[in-house]
Amino acid sequence: MPVRQVHLAAHFPGVNNTTVWSDPASGSQIDFASFVHLARTAERGKFDFFFLAEGLRLREMKGRIHDLDVAGRPESLTVLSALAAVTTRLGLAATVNSTFNEPYEVAGRLATLDHLSAGRAAWNVVTSYDAFTGENFRRGGFLAEADRYTRAAEFLQTARELWDSWSDDGGAEGEFAHSGRHFDIAGRFGTPRGPQGHPVIIQAGDSAEGREFAASDADVIFSRHGAPAAGRAFYADVKRRLPRYGRHPDELKIFPAVTYVLGDTEEDAAERAADIRRAQVGPETAIAYLEGVWGRDLSAYDPDGPLPDVEPDLDEGVSKGRAQFRGDRGETVRRWRTLAADRGLSIRELVIEATGRQTFVGTPRSVADRIDEFVQTGVADGFIFVPHLTPGGLDDLVDHVVPLLQEKGVFRSDYTGTTLRDHLGLGPPRGAVRRAHAEAVS
Amino acid sequence: MTGLYGGTGLHLAVALEGVGWHPAAWRAPDARPADLFTARYWADLAREAERGLLDFVTIEDALTPRPSGRLQGGLDAVLVAARLAPVTGHIGLVPTTDVTHTEPFHVSIGVASLDFASYGRAGWRPRVSAGVREAGHFGRRRASAAAPPGRIASDADLNAEAADAVEVVRRLWDSWQDDAEIRDASTGRFLDRDRLHYIDFEGPYFDVRGPSITPRPPQGQPVVTVLADSPPAYEFAARGADVVYLTPDSRAGTGAAVSRVRAAEAAAGRGGEPLRVFADLLVFIDDRPGAAAVRKARLDELDGAGPASAVEVFTGTAAELADLLEERLDAGLTGFRLRPGVLPHDLTGITRRLVPELQRRGAFRTAYRETTLRARLGLSRPEGRYSAPAAATTGGGS
Ligand SMILES: Cc1cc2nc3c(=O)[nH]c(=O)nc-3n(C[C@H](O)[C@H](O)[C@H](O)COP(=O)(O)O)c2cc1C
């Protein structure tokens, strides 16, 4: 079997407890210089793209704004457009919600980013639909959960029609009409086709509907499944869905979110990884995490003491504005109780043990080997690295691991193309073809 | 000569639009129509404007209705402005956005992010979209019963709605106090939630809860600018803007328009800083007397018509234009927003001819002094509306 090439992407540190703000090396999450640093680091490492997440309402716990984690982010597309000025090859991926936006505007903004970056734009189509987020918008929260992907699919289909309403040679000039269940629009699209034709489309939902949407119409999946067994299962499941849409499995690249810790020796790395986990799960965060699962106020419990003996409230949620804890909370509570009892863990130790362990921990050599192995054995096509520090969190990866991957011949030593589609090995967009398939399944 | 606000003489902005404001501009000899959608094109224009020490550039948005035909496409103005931020160091960046169909929340974080990316040089021009054709791009609203033909609502309604959108945007900018981020390791708190505020805007057109997801931008409040092209727009400007653009057609007309601005401010009960008043002028500049008029006439002929806008057109030499600006300034203006007829020709006419002429007369700055756009316009950095001690008690859970 030929050696598969590794793809790499950089995630700007997020607004959850995995981003450590108490470290002396932690810089500003909003200063533009932080974005420049991380984007330039990614480009120095010849990464495929730089990724910005989005959350359109500040998270709340127990009816109040959550105050323990980093918060305060810019608007993705605006920052990426500015970053296009200080990078030349790096792909620029924006997360933009399909519920609280309209196709005409989003398609125009993405085409603009594609022009201003000379073909480096990507769009992570996310589907948050809740009324909580809707309170920030004139339209309010108006979507039933079951409709989140029918709207997303029609939104993307409509955007593709708008991008195709201009031809590359300037023949067609933007006249369009779309009439469907979610959108009934017509007129003239203001922005000519970008250099990539269509930006790269990323999908980050986990449900069966989300996977189907990705299989039918996305170029990249951003997944949660970085651990080998879960990753392999997810990879196989998604790739198996492509032929039904007339697509080759290589046309959809799977990028799990991953984390890493390097050390001079394996022991050194493990020790550092444990220190980082403790910083990520402080006493207050441990309690807040538990409250999210238990669905009730647990502020009276000692984070260094045993798990609460009270039963969870499975009807009420206390955490709003995040995608976590969508699983079966009753089942999680049972599993955690067993784990804590078996190992004699305190609340904080349990949360550290049960959540968010780093994907890659080791020397640069062993981390490079595992990255390569994951790609050769069907866990992933590439990885979105989520650093725990802003903005220097990828420096050592780029300095020490990327050269080893290059030495192995599994990662580019320089960009060979100019557009993000080039980096990902994607052909030209097949807008019209994919639309036909989307119609067939909707 | 001492100017009204912040520094010497008059203030000068330039309005960038496509290949220029003349509809036949793309047929001019040095026009770069093929480059219109490249970053390079816009960077060259912005750097040229900065070389001329101009106060700010405005950028029209992609949603602006343009006649069908080649080279009439547009780019998203906020993204163009953001692309320009790292390649310029002083000039203000003022994108236009629609506020009739877009979400105030998105616009608010976009302009705040531009302010971060430019370290305090962002402005904004909210624009009303009255046409049914534009509404058709969104498909979310039909024309109201009282709407004039071809429009979705009355001018008064649309401007009132736009004023609400500006109010929402401004509240969102203030919804994080400057010191909301505390990074207090002893309590594990990154934020002081009492310094974050729900804006709870409720109006006839929409409600928005807040707070923003973006911290308070460097200027506190980026500069809001409004084109006053109808009586309701004067009211809109008086309620929500820092800068107003007027379109008078003469010196007498300028005085009258400025008086209307002041009357609208009084009627709106505006406190604090008065509006900075800029007059719009569409300019064709050449060195040889009479050459600019000939050039414009040739373009009119090529087009079959000419610029179809209410804005006064100037053709002439830089010295003639300097005379006109100085004379008009005395009617109570802060400065001018010049619309180049052809790009880059009439922009370089401004930066390399007009500006040196004004400098010779002591009527224009010879270096940038202020670092933020607000400061350049003599506007202080405002205290956030939720920061007053009285308001602090309503913080967090209101
Ligand atoms: C790895 C990953 C990253 C995500 N990032 C975002 C994000 O930045 N913003 C957002 O609104 N939703 C984000 N989501 C949420 C998904 O887009 C989707 O709305 C959510 O998972 C619900 O869809 P599902 O039921 O298909 O999982 C992310 C999901 C995953 C798995």
Side-chain angles (χ1 to χ4, degrees):
Chain A
M1 207 166 93
V3 175
R4 295 181 73 87
Q5 290 294 303
V6 172
H7 294 274
L8 297 176
H11 189 298
F12 193 82
V15 291
N16 48 45
N17 69 296
T18 55
T19 303
V20 174
W21 53 259
S22 54
D23 191 298
S26 161
S28 170
Q29 82 290 359
I30 189 66
D31 188 341
F32 182 60
S34 293
F35 293 86
V36 172
H37 180 103
L38 203 70
R40 284 193 168 147
T41 303
E43 185 158 273
R44 184 159 57 83
K46 315 297 177 193
F47 279 35
D48 292 69
F49 60 91
F50 175 76
F51 180 95
L52 292 180
E54 176 191 78
L56 294 171
R57 178 142 180 202
L58 291 183
R59 290 163 45 200
E60 292 188 1
M61 284 291 287
K62 298 185 283 184
R64 304 187 68 193
I65 289 164
H66 182 61
D67 56 2
L68 302 179
D69 296 338
V70 170
R73 289 194 280 200
E75 197 269 323
S76 317
L77 285 163
T78 305
V79 176
L80 293 175
S81 188
L83 290 174
V86 297
T87 54
T88 59
R89 289 289 180 268
L90 184 68
L92 302 166
T95 299
V96 182
N97 178 285
S98 60
T99 302
F100 303 107
N101 279 294
E102 296 298 326
Y104 190 91
E105 196 186 4
V106 170
R109 302 195 85 207
L110 281 154
T112 297
L113 179 63
D114 207 39
H115 281 292
L116 295 178
S117 64
R120 298 187 277 139
W123 173 21
N124 179 31
V125 186
V126 297
T127 60
S128 306
Y129 56 87
D130 53 289
F132 175 74
T133 304
E135 286 179 352
N136 280 338
F137 297 95
R138 55 199 297 165
R139 67 203 60 206
F142 65 96
L143 213 53
E145 178 173 4
D147 287 336
R148 71 195 189 289
Y149 280 110
T150 64
R151 181 176 165 103
E154 190 180 332
F155 195 117
L156 176 55
Q157 174 184 323
T158 308
R160 291 194 190 277
E161 286 165 19
L162 294 171
W163 293 321
D164 287 346
S165 69
W166 288 73
S167 53
D168 286 324
D169 60 8
E173 290 182 358
E175 299 299 328
F176 72 92
H178 173 99
S179 183
R181 180 166 154 226
H182 295 279
F183 307 106
D184 186 4
I185 61 175
R188 185 168 171 278
F189 184 52
T191 311
R193 242 165 113 79
Q196 294 186 108
H198 300 187
V200 169
I201 301 299
I202 306 174
Q203 196 285 139
D206 204 33
S207 59
E209 298 106 296
R211 296 177 189 199
E212 209 59 34
F213 173 45
S216 71
D217 213 13
D219 302 304
V220 170
I221 289 194
F222 180 20
S223 97
R224 300 185 205 285
H225 308 291
R232 236 171 244 121
F234 179 83
Y235 191 96
D237 175 77
V238 169
K239 296 270 177 170
R240 176 180 320 124
R241 296 171 192 255
L242 269 90
R244 262 197 287 149
Y245 299 95
R247 303 182 70 195
H248 188 276
D250 280 345
E251 289 179 54
L252 177 63
K253 308 291 184 198
I254 298 184
F255 278 69
V258 292
T259 53
Y260 77 102
V261 183
L262 299 182
D264 292 335
T265 61
E266 296 298 319
E267 298 70 39
D268 176 36
E271 212 168 285
R272 295 181 61 183
D275 287 346
I276 292 166
R277 291 296 295 138
R278 270 192 296 281
Q280 289 171 328
V281 185
E284 299 83 3
T285 294
I287 294 293
Y289 224 105
L290 221 58
E291 288 176 332
V293 176
W294 255 254
R296 56 193 300 166
D297 181 5
L298 300 173
S299 52
Y301 287 83
D302 176 4
D304 295 319
L307 288 193
D309 39 16
V310 294
E311 289 312 305
D313 180 341
L314 297 177
D315 299 331
E316 284 299 306
V318 294
S319 162
K320 288 191 158 156
R322 63 189 309 182
Q324 235 136 1
F325 311 132
R326 282 169 55 91
D328 182 342
R329 289 195 281 120
E331 163 60 22
T332 305
V333 168
R334 276 190 293 282
R335 205 155 26 83
W336 284 13
R337 280 194 166 135
T338 310
L339 182 61
D342 288 354
R343 310 260 301 266
L345 301 176
S346 69
I347 288 176
R348 186 174 173 203
E349 288 164 341
L350 179 276
V351 174
I352 288 172
E353 184 62 31
T355 65
R357 183 183 297 215
Q358 294 94 347
T359 321
F360 300 113
V361 179
T363 63
R365 172 70 58 192
S366 73
V367 167
D369 286 347
R370 294 230 293 150
I371 288 172
D372 179 24
E373 180 201 323
F374 280 20
V375 168
Q376 305 311 327
T377 61
V379 177
D381 294 307
F383 302 94
I384 298 189
F385 276 88
V386 188
H388 73 279
L389 279 182
T390 310
L394 291 181
D395 294 357
D396 57 352
L397 186 79
V398 166
D399 290 336
H400 303 302
V401 178
V402 167
L404 297 177
L405 291 170
Q406 291 166 331
E407 228 170 70
K408 284 165 158 285
V410 294
F411 186 66
R412 66 177 73 85
S413 45
D414 202 354
Y415 293 106
T416 52
T418 60
T419 70
L420 178 53
R421 300 193 81 86
D422 292 339
H423 307 337
L424 291 168
L426 300 167
R430 299 180 307 149
V433 178
R434 293 207 186 148
R435 269 205 310 282
H437 287 287
E439 267 152 28
V441 296
S442 66
Chain B
M1 172 180 167
T2 303
L4 278 172
Y5 308 107
T8 315
L10 48 80
H11 293 263
L12 271 187
V14 67
L16 298 178
E17 155 69 342
V19 287
W21 286 86
H22 195 288
W26 60 280
R27 304 175 72 163
D30 69 337
R32 293 167 54 189
D35 296 344
L36 188 51
F37 300 102
T38 64
R40 178 69 190 273
Y41 176 78
W42 293 94
D44 286 350
L45 295 177
R47 286 203 200 98
E48 183 61 36
E50 186 162 89
R51 178 192 157 123
L53 305 177
L54 304 188
D55 287 66
F56 59 92
V57 293
T58 62
I59 301 157
E60 301 302 306
D61 66 331
L63 307 184
T64 300
R66 294 171 171 88
S68 168
R70 259 160 206 266
L71 309 167
Q72 292 296 339
L75 297 174
D76 181 274
V78 174
L79 300 189
V80 171
R83 180 64 180 73
L84 297 175
V87 300
T88 53
H90 304 277
I91 199 158
L93 301 165
V94 183
T96 301
T97 77
D98 161 277
V99 285
T100 304
H101 302 292
T102 57
E103 289 284 355
F105 192 90
H106 290 316
V107 172
S108 158
I109 61 177
V111 176
S113 300
L114 174 63
D115 207 38
F116 278 106
S118 64
Y119 292 93
R121 295 184 282 132
W124 172 42
R125 181 170 85 84
R127 181 181 64 82
V128 163
S129 299
V132 284
R133 202 177 148 78
E134 287 169 277
H137 293 155
F138 291 83
R140 291 179 55 83
R141 52 200 285 182
R142 318 220 164 279
S144 69
R151 298 163 82 85
I152 54 168
S154 72
D155 231 21
D157 272 351
L158 289 168
N159 277 281
E161 180 180 344
D164 280 0
V166 169
E167 174 68 14
V168 166
V169 167
R170 285 191 177 281
R171 285 193 198 178
L172 287 168
W173 286 337
D174 280 350
S175 64
W176 289 55
Q177 290 180 217
D178 290 316
D179 53 2
E181 183 184 320
I182 52 173
R183 297 192 182 227
D184 180 13
S186 68
T187 59
R189 292 179 310 147
F190 181 82
L191 295 173
D192 179 350
R193 54 160 74 109
D194 290 339
R195 299 178 195 166
L196 293 177
H197 304 273
Y198 296 103
I199 69 163
D200 281 328
F201 180 88
E202 291 178 20
Y205 310 99
F206 45 76
D207 304 338
V208 175
R209 177 108 165 103
S212 183
I213 56 166
T214 307
R216 194 160 189 249
Q219 293 183 101
Q221 293 276 319
V223 177
V224 178
T225 74
V226 163
L227 175 63
D229 51 1
S230 71
Y234 276 78
E235 198 183 317
F236 170 33
R239 272 184 66 189
D242 303 298
V243 169
V244 63
Y245 311 114
L246 305 178
T247 57
D249 59 0
S250 63
R251 182 163 202 283
T254 305
V258 173
S259 302
R260 275 213 298 284
V261 168
R262 300 305 171 207
E265 287 180 320
R270 182 186 174 99
E273 295 277 3
L275 279 163
R276 281 23 178 182
V277 184
F278 282 64
D280 274 13
L281 202 57
L282 175 43
V283 298
F284 297 83
I285 305 167
D286 282 301
D287 289 344
R288 214 157 28 78
V294 171
R295 182 162 58 88
K296 176 181 174 288
R298 205 175 295 135
L299 288 170
D300 288 351
E301 210 173 291
L302 282 170
D303 179 56
S309 99
V311 177
E312 188 183 2
V313 177
F314 166 88
T315 58
T317 64
E320 288 165 345
L321 181 54
D323 290 345
L324 179 93
L325 300 188
E326 287 203 292
E327 178 203 294
R328 292 282 170 84
L329 193 67
D330 289 341
L333 296 175
T334 313
F336 300 87
R337 183 173 72 145
L338 303 180
R339 305 186 184 193
V342 172
L343 288 169
H345 185 100
D346 294 305
L347 174 62
T348 50
I350 294 165
T351 53
R352 303 186 191 209
R353 295 287 188 270
L354 173 67
V355 164
E357 177 64 29
L358 290 169
Q359 287 168 332
R360 259 192 298 283
R361 301 177 185 200
F364 195 65
R365 67 176 70 86
T366 51
Y368 281 117
R369 262 177 289 273
E370 311 80 8
T371 56
T372 70
L373 179 55
R374 285 190 75 88
R376 185 162 309 133
L377 296 169
L379 296 164
S380 60
R381 186 178 190 281
E383 189 72 17
R385 73 196 61 201
Y386 304 104
S387 306
T393 52
T394 65
S398 72

